[in-house]
Amino acid sequence: MAAHAASCIRRSHPEGTLVWAVEERCSAVVDAERLVTQRAVYPRERWKRGAWTPKVWGEQLRFYSGLRRFRFDIGLDLQGHSKTAICLRLSGAKRRLAVRATDGFARRLNPVLSNFEGSTHTVERQLFALRTMGRFQGGSSPIMPALTAERIEVRKQIGSEPYVVIAVGAGQPWKAYPRDQWGDVAEGLRQSGQRVVFIGGPGESAPEVDSSIDLVDRLDLALTMAVLAESDLVLAADTGAGHLAAAYGNRVVSIFGPTDPAVFRPYTERGIVLKEGEETRLVSPDLVLRAAHTLLNSDGATISH
């Protein structure tokens, strides 16, 4: 979702210096050819393993302070956690702003955007914060990596026929859609003539469905993005796969539980959000299938949420 604000910066100032501090495992999402001048990649997982040790603290401080060499005019914290607040504070930016602050420590380090309450979508909040910092009038459609080589590799693995992606997991267990219900959805898609490709991460597994393609925990992030970008439709819980599909302009069905879709849904008009209470399991497979077929039959038309 942060790619919208970054893309607005790039289009508003094509010759400007734009640096994105991003953790290692997510760095493939950030386009280094057309969007950013540089990705400042930090090893968050390694830092977490050594948390509170002098060695790790020293490495973090050197990394954050090293950003001062860019002599930033503006710095934005689009996440609002302590780790990103420290990064922004030490970056040396002449003007700083955090879109939000999730804890008291983060609130003390940088100015925080005010006058935003309730169900404002994250992307809109970030764009508003950006535009309080200056004239940023460029378009905000996300500039994403082209993935030319990865798309070719995906088509070698999957074939040239159309397919639907089901992302079986989620970043948090309480956001995930039950595996057996994904199986019912996949079976319904198969019976209607759709090819189904399952994706997911470590510790996740695909339901057993005839003729489906199981790529769960078999792809790196760039290849996963290519699978999503090349698909006809993506089905996902409240997780990154839906946001990536939307960023590539793809159709997406999103299943939400306790979180607020008005704030966190994939930012697209080619999507349908399903929510039936505070648990994802309350969204029936039949409802998911109806939404999937609505989008598959839409011929690219805009779908309202």
Side-chain angles (χ1 to χ4, degrees), residues 147-161:
L147 304 173
T148 303
E150 289 84 358
R151 289 174 188 252
I152 292 171
E153 177 61 27
V154 161
R155 284 303 180 179
K156 287 180 180 177
Q157 291 189 39
I158 296 177
S160 59
E161 296 299 313

Side-chain angles (χ1 to χ4, degrees), residues 4 121 123 242-243 245-247 249-254 265-273 302-305:
H4 292 265
H121 194 278
V123 168
H243 296 291
N250 212 336
R251 296 173 284 194
V252 55
V253 175
S254 302
R265 67 169 175 83
Y267 198 67
T268 179
E269 293 302 328
R270 302 188 74 205
I272 295 176
V273 173
T302 297
I303 301 296
S304 299
H305 298 280

